[in-house]
């Protein structure tokens, strides 16, 4: 019973104390931590000391040279960040409910989509949602999904299907892949190419981690490409990839939305188009299932479909997967 009474007497930490401790845990320096959260150094030190008193544990080991976290501090620093992140998400979602399409929207985009679709996305947001503070983060798919799950990102623009539990996909469009090669290549300018064409061509791909690489390999397997067929050189981005093609190192696959941008700058490149149904990919928005802003994001998806009319894509009819 004495233990219970002691637990009841423990004071509940304040948010200011948690913010101060989290800042010190991140920077391990009182002056830098105080500057990061806009608090004076004495106030920050006092807040951390008050938190230690409230919790009844020592969080910080103070020396003349540096600040260290105690074992208890290391454990509670993780909990403090979770609490503060959850509070931030609560405030953002409450703001979104009060006034849709206002405040911050953190959009994650894959590199094989960003350069080709962002102009349409940014134009739409600027014209239709001027009070929305759009922040764009270009990352690979795995990093984007981690950011979405952790609350670091609100919405993703990427190739699907993802097959990830807890993520709802809002389809935008489907687009075909195009074969890109040197202008002197025997297939240059051809249409109606069968997929089997890919079986023995020297194919250039993006580096590991890009979903477009995996999609291209899936297409090649469907075409009957053997495991031993050469995949000679890889690149970090599509721009580098097409320059390698122009240099005679092989051929590659580009999504239709990227073709004009990436091949229009080099007269040494040509394209070939597959017979229907051509290999293709689907691009969608992805949101956390059950997000308080899901209706807002569904409206944004519908608006984006309406803005895709000038692109060489097949716009989705709507809905979610």
């Amino acid at each position: 019973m004495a233990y219970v009474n002691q637990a009841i007497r423990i004071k509940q930490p304040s948010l200011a104390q948690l913010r101060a401790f989290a800042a010190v845990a991140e920077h391990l320096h009182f002056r830098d931590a105080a500057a990061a959260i806009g608090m004076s150094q004495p106030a920050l030190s006092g807040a951390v000391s008050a938190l230690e008193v409230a919790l009844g544990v020592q969080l910080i080991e103070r020396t003349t040279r540096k600040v260290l976290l105690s074992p208890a501090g290391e454990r509670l620093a993780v909990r403090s960040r979770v609490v503060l992140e959850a509070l931030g998400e609560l405030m953002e979602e409450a703001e979104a409910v009060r006034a849709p399409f206002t405040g911050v929207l953190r959009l994650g985009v894959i590199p094989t989509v960003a350069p080709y679709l962002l102009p349409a996305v940014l134009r739409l947001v600027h014209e239709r949602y001027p009070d929305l503070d759009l922040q764009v983060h270009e990352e690979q798919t795995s990093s984007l999904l981690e950011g979405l799950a952790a609350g670091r990102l609100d919405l993703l623009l990427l190739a699907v299907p993802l097959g990830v539990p807890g993520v709802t996909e809002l389809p935008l469009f489907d687009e075909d892949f195009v074969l890109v090669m040197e202008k002197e290549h025997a297939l240059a300018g051809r249409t109606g190419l069968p997929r089997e064409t890919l079986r023995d061509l020297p194919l250039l791909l993006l580096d590991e981690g890009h979903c477009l690489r995996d999609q291209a390999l899936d297409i090649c397997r469907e075409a009957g490409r053997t495991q031993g067929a050469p995949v000679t050189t890889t690149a970090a981005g599509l721009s580098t990839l097409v320059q390698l093609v122009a240099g005679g190192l092989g051929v590659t696959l580009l999504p239709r939305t990227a073709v004009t941008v990436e091949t229009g700058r080099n007269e040494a490149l040509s394209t070939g188009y597959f017979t229907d149904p051509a290999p293709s990919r689907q691009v969608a928005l992805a949101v956390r299932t059950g997000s308080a802003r899901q209706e807002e994001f569904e409206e944004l998806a519908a608006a984006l479909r309406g803005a895709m009319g000038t692109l060489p894509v097949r716009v989705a009819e709507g809905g979610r997967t």
Side-chain angles (χ1 to χ4, degrees):
M1 182 64 68
Y3 175 78
V4 174
N5 289 339
Q6 183 181 7
I8 293 174
R9 289 196 298 270
I10 292 177
K11 293 178 61 178
Q12 187 174 27
S14 70
L15 289 174
Q17 292 168 355
L18 290 177
R19 289 193 182 97
F21 171 56
V24 172
E26 179 181 355
H27 295 278
L28 295 178
H29 195 287
F30 277 91
R31 185 178 66 248
D32 293 346
I37 62 175
M39 180 183 286
S40 70
Q41 188 170 333
L44 179 132
S45 180
V48 173
S49 296
L51 180 62
E52 290 178 316
V53 172
L55 297 177
V57 295
Q58 182 181 351
L59 302 173
I60 304 294
E61 296 179 6
R62 302 165 177 84
T63 70
T64 56
R65 294 185 177 181
K66 57 184 176 180
V67 175
L68 299 175
L69 293 180
S70 69
E74 291 181 353
R75 293 177 59 183
L76 294 180
V78 176
R79 295 289 186 182
S80 298
R81 285 192 291 269
V82 170
V83 170
L84 294 172
E85 288 172 1
L87 177 64
E89 292 174 11
L90 184 148
M91 299 301 293
E92 287 180 8
E93 294 197 350
E95 178 63 26
V97 171
R98 288 197 303 270
F101 297 106
T102 61
V104 176
L105 172 57
R106 297 163 297 187
L107 175 67
V109 191
I110 56 174
T112 59
V113 163
Y116 321 112
L117 296 188
L118 278 181
V121 173
L122 297 176
R123 184 166 53 249
L124 174 71
V125 170
H126 176 74
E127 294 175 354
R128 190 172 299 191
Y129 311 115
D131 295 324
L132 190 65
D133 180 10
L134 183 65
Q135 299 176 1
V136 178
H137 303 262
E138 185 184 59
E139 301 169 22
Q140 292 185 9
T141 298
S142 59
S143 176
L144 292 180
L145 288 172
E146 290 172 2
L148 185 69
R152 178 174 61 84
L153 299 171
D154 304 307
L155 185 65
L156 308 182
L157 177 60
L158 72 179
V160 297
L162 300 168
V164 177
V167 175
T168 296
E169 299 168 9
L170 307 175
L172 297 178
F173 61 83
D174 291 272
E175 63 176 330
D176 293 340
F177 283 102
V178 176
L179 188 65
V180 178
M181 66 207 82
E182 287 184 280
K183 182 170 285 188
E184 294 79 13
H185 196 283
L187 300 178
R190 293 269 300 274
T191 59
L193 295 174
R195 295 191 186 203
E196 290 73 20
T197 303
L198 295 170
R199 286 181 178 175
D200 301 309
L201 291 174
L203 187 67
L204 304 179
L205 298 175
L206 291 174
D207 291 337
E208 295 281 355
H210 288 276
C211 62
L212 187 58
R213 174 191 175 91
D214 298 330
Q215 291 161 352
L217 289 173
D218 287 342
I219 292 167
C220 290
R221 280 190 287 268
E222 292 171 4
R225 186 183 180 96
T226 62
Q227 196 70 25
V231 176
T232 55
T233 303
T234 62
L238 293 184
S239 295
T240 301
L241 204 58
V242 296
Q243 295 309 313
L244 295 175
V245 172
L249 296 186
V251 303
T252 195
L253 292 169
L254 289 187
R256 281 290 299 270
T257 52
V259 170
T260 299
V261 173
E262 299 299 347
T263 67
R265 296 175 294 197
N266 195 322
E267 295 182 355
L269 293 169
S270 185
T271 54
Y273 293 84
F274 294 94
T275 187
D276 290 333
S280 63
R281 72 172 180 177
Q282 184 175 75
V283 173
L285 294 178
V287 305
R288 287 185 297 275
T289 302
S291 167
R293 303 180 72 177
Q294 186 151 322
E295 289 188 9
E296 178 183 349
F297 296 153
E298 289 177 355
E299 181 180 335
L300 177 61
L304 284 172
R305 292 184 202 108
M308 300 294 171
T310 59
L311 296 176
V313 300
R314 296 181 296 280
V315 178
E317 294 182 1
R320 65 179 74 170
T321 60

